Amino acid sequence: MKRKINLQFLFVICMTILVTMILLTTIFTEIFKEEVMEDLSTYTMELKSIGVFENMDAIEGDTFQEFRVTLVKSDGVVIYDNYINPNQLQNHGNRPEIRDAIKQGYGQAIRKSETLNKSNYYYAVKLENGCVLRLAKESENIWSILMRFLPYILVLTIVLVVITIIIASFFTRSIIKPIEKLANDMEHMESVTTYKELQPFIDTIVKQHGDILRSAIMRQEFTANVSHELKTPLTAISGYAEIISNGMADEADVARFANEIHRNSNRLLSLINDIIHLSELDVMDNAIEKEEIDLNTIVQTAVDMLQLSAGKRQVRLTMSGVASIFNGDKMMIEELVYNLINNAIRYNKQDGTVHVEVYPADERVVLCVTDTGIGIPKEHQERIFERFYRVDKSHSKQTGGTGLGLAIVKHIVAKHNGDISLESEYGKGTKITVWIPV
Ligand code: ADP
């Protein structure tokens, strides 16, 4: 990257020098040409005004050494030239400056000289007697001017290139250095001094880094929790099985222990089911397979299914609802509804009630589960959606809880871009409301 930036800088500066050089030389040459022509025209006009060429006899041999002076008749025949014998010269009638002078009174032209890097400048005027007086001068052209400047240009180029290399490497260093520092020390990104343009990038990296760390910690905690949760029923199962296999239990004990083994295995199964479920929800990318479903029908089925369990606990389970159609994952929504109603029954009191409401509102469907149960103390309300978080561990376990139910609910709501809210008063009851966009 550094090399690329340096090379680009160098390229830009070389191009700039080249363009400037061409531009300056062109402008300079134009000015130079104009000046030479002006000189020539002034002399020519002066000679014309003196009137020497109106009378050929008055001209003396080498009066005009500085310029070549030529006198041409209107038919192009050269009658005088101070450099070359006019008899050796061809007809000049087709020379542009002569033609123009005959036509419009004056004419000028520049032609390549026989001498390398030089040009001939011509200026011609028509005299009173119809002849054309032409002055010529050999002078430098663009190439010779360029050649004259070349040493300076080369020195300038070298100086500029050196300066460019220094500046470019300074710039690249100040651009790259913070990035290198950041890459080497991700832990202390905030302390690295950077520039404005890099800040959004750093913010994103810092945020992502924090997210990664947090999710690593959460994963670690989850793994530790899972191991712990699985260990308890397994230890019990193994203990009971050992006593039975040692023949240390009498018949009545065997039946009791078998029952315990059965209960703990069921617990293991529901734990493993919930863990699998959560990890599935974790890996599934955001798009879920949605179909048109009626929340009211799903709740109706769940309520029917849970009536037995409510009856056993002497809890009255009721519902009121209207058709509430939306697009969602049917299995997920069934699980969400089941978990919420099941909790409302399990954390209830004798002769308590659970009421479930379903209705559509503002492009959303609403599910509201209200119970007159044990309620949740304020300090726990924030955390009950965390994995394995329970207010009263033994109550949860006794009623077959895994501590994952609400974590799964929260995930399912998020997958449907919905919202969930909790209102609860300790000892009085709980109300959980879920909104899902249609
Ligand atoms: P669990 O399997 O333990 O029920 P959840 O994730 O479903 O796990 O719930 C977490 C905790 O939140 C429960 O252990 C319980 O303490 C509390 N909780 C959930 N629902 C209710 C409710 N309706 N009333 C009172 N407490 C509740």
Side-chain angles (χ1 to χ4, degrees):
M1 188 63 195
K2 273 186 198 170
R3 225 175 86 94
K4 207 171 157 190
I5 295 177
N6 281 336
L7 282 178
Q8 276 173 355
F9 252 105
L10 216 62
F11 175 75
V12 169
I13 204 75
C14 287
M15 284 313 284
T16 314
I17 293 171
L18 195 73
V19 171
T20 316
M21 202 174 83
I22 292 172
L23 215 73
L24 274 182
T25 316
T26 318
I27 293 171
F28 197 81
T29 314
E30 279 312 309
I31 294 173
F32 181 79
K33 269 191 212 167
E34 259 173 42
E35 247 167 44
V36 172
M37 271 308 174
E38 215 172 283
D39 265 7
L40 269 181
S41 76
T42 317
Y43 270 107
T44 319
M45 294 318 275
E46 233 165 67
L47 283 183
K48 183 187 170 187
S49 66
I50 294 165
V52 269
F53 289 98
E54 307 290 345
N55 176 8
M56 287 303 297
D57 303 334
I59 305 169
E60 279 170 30
D62 15 79
T63 329
F64 320 99
Q65 277 308 322
E66 199 183 332
F67 304 99
R68 177 181 169 200
V69 181
T70 315
L71 194 65
V72 183
K73 279 207 299 191
S74 54
D75 58 3
V77 175
V78 179
I79 48 174
Y80 171 80
D81 192 295
N82 63 340
Y83 277 23
I84 305 160
N85 182 357
N87 295 332
Q88 288 169 7
L89 289 169
Q90 304 158 330
N91 188 300
H92 270 35
N94 57 354
R95 304 282 152 98
E97 70 279 8
I98 307 275
R99 251 193 342 233
D100 285 350
I102 291 167
K103 232 193 282 169
Q104 64 191 35
Y106 72 94
Q108 62 185 49
I110 300 169
R111 285 194 286 277
K112 257 182 84 172
S113 166
E114 276 164 21
T115 325
L116 201 70
N117 289 341
K118 296 240 166 172
S119 290
N120 281 326
Y121 294 73
Y122 298 97
Y123 192 88
V125 283
K126 197 170 161 185
L127 300 177
E128 301 295 326
N129 61 10
C131 291
V132 172
L133 170 66
R134 184 187 77 175
L135 259 68
K137 187 180 177 177
E138 197 180 48
S139 228
E140 284 176 291
N141 64 11
I142 187 160
W143 297 115
S144 63
I145 294 171
L146 202 64
M147 284 304 161
R148 241 189 321 146
F149 283 139
L150 208 59
Y152 302 103
I153 291 168
L154 279 178
V155 171
L156 187 74
T157 309
I158 291 167
V159 171
L160 280 177
V161 164
V162 170
I163 292 174
T164 311
I165 290 173
I166 294 169
I167 293 177
S169 70
F170 172 77
F171 272 137
T172 42
R173 217 174 322 136
S174 58
I175 292 171
I176 308 277
K177 193 118 194 178
I179 299 176
E180 281 176 348
K181 265 194 182 166
L182 291 175
N184 287 335
D185 190 6
M186 297 275 271
E187 302 297 325
H188 304 99
M189 277 189 146
E190 292 88 346
S191 62
V192 178
T193 29
T194 56
Y195 39 93
K196 199 174 87 224
E197 289 77 3
L198 204 58
Q199 205 50 49
F201 171 71
I202 293 171
D203 291 345
T204 312
I205 301 263
V206 167
K207 196 177 155 293
Q208 281 181 351
H209 195 55
D211 288 349
I212 290 169
L213 281 180
R214 256 192 305 283
S215 107
I217 292 170
M218 266 172 62
R219 223 171 288 240
Q220 254 174 10
E221 277 176 7
F222 183 65
T223 315
N225 280 335
V226 166
S227 319
H228 180 77
E229 296 286 339
L230 293 180
K231 213 174 145 188
T232 321
L234 263 179
T235 313
I237 291 171
S238 155
Y240 291 127
E242 193 182 5
I243 300 173
I244 294 173
S245 71
N246 284 348
M248 283 161 71
D250 59 29
E251 216 166 288
D253 280 342
V254 170
R256 193 163 58 83
F257 292 169
N259 187 40
E260 280 303 311
I261 291 175
H262 179 67
R263 203 174 60 82
N264 277 293
S265 323
N266 274 346
R267 181 162 172 71
L268 264 183
L269 269 179
S270 40
L271 258 172
I272 290 167
N273 266 339
D274 276 358
I275 293 166
I276 290 174
H277 212 114
L278 255 183
S279 63
E280 272 171 4
L281 282 170
D282 270 343
V283 291
M284 236 194 280
D285 53 28
N286 280 337
I288 49 172
E289 273 188 35
K290 287 185 179 173
E291 56 184 313
E292 201 169 82
I293 45 181
D294 180 6
L295 184 61
N296 195 44
T297 317
I298 291 176
V299 171
Q300 188 84 59
T301 315
V303 165
D304 289 348
M305 202 160 72
L306 285 162
Q307 277 305 351
L308 192 70
S309 146
K312 269 190 200 162
R313 290 190 164 84
Q314 280 154 14
V315 169
R316 211 161 73 86
L317 172 59
T318 55
M319 85 160 280
S320 62
V322 286
S324 305
I325 314 288
F326 73 107
N327 277 313
D329 183 310
K330 189 157 178 261
M331 293 250 281
M332 283 190 193
I333 298 297
E334 277 170 354
E335 172 139 30
L336 175 146
V337 170
Y338 180 88
N339 280 353
L340 289 181
I341 303 177
N342 194 26
N343 275 358
I345 297 170
R346 282 164 53 225
Y347 300 102
N348 219 310
K349 300 182 220 163
Q350 204 176 335
D351 297 325
T353 60
V354 173
H355 183 66
V356 191
E357 258 184 293
V358 183
Y359 55 93
D362 301 337
E363 301 284 301
R364 297 199 286 186
V365 291
V366 185
L367 167 72
C368 191
V369 183
T370 316
D371 66 63
T372 56
I374 60 172
I376 304 160
K378 271 260 164 318
E379 66 271 24
H380 296 286
Q381 289 183 5
E382 275 256 305
R383 305 197 57 192
I384 57 162
F385 293 97
E386 289 175 16
R387 296 164 185 202
F388 294 117
Y389 192 85
R390 295 116 155 175
V391 178
D392 176 355
K393 206 163 187 168
S394 63
H395 187 149
S396 161
K397 276 190 186 169
Q398 259 170 30
T399 55
T402 58
L404 294 172
L406 287 184
I408 292 174
V409 166
K410 195 180 148 185
H411 251 78
I412 293 173
V413 172
K415 291 267 173 210
H416 286 81
N417 300 318
D419 286 311
I420 186 162
S421 89
L422 168 88
E423 287 166 52
S424 185
E425 200 175 324
Y426 186 50
K428 289 222 168 131
T430 306
K431 179 179 173 183
I432 294 184
T433 315
V434 173
W435 294 267
I436 297 173
V438 171

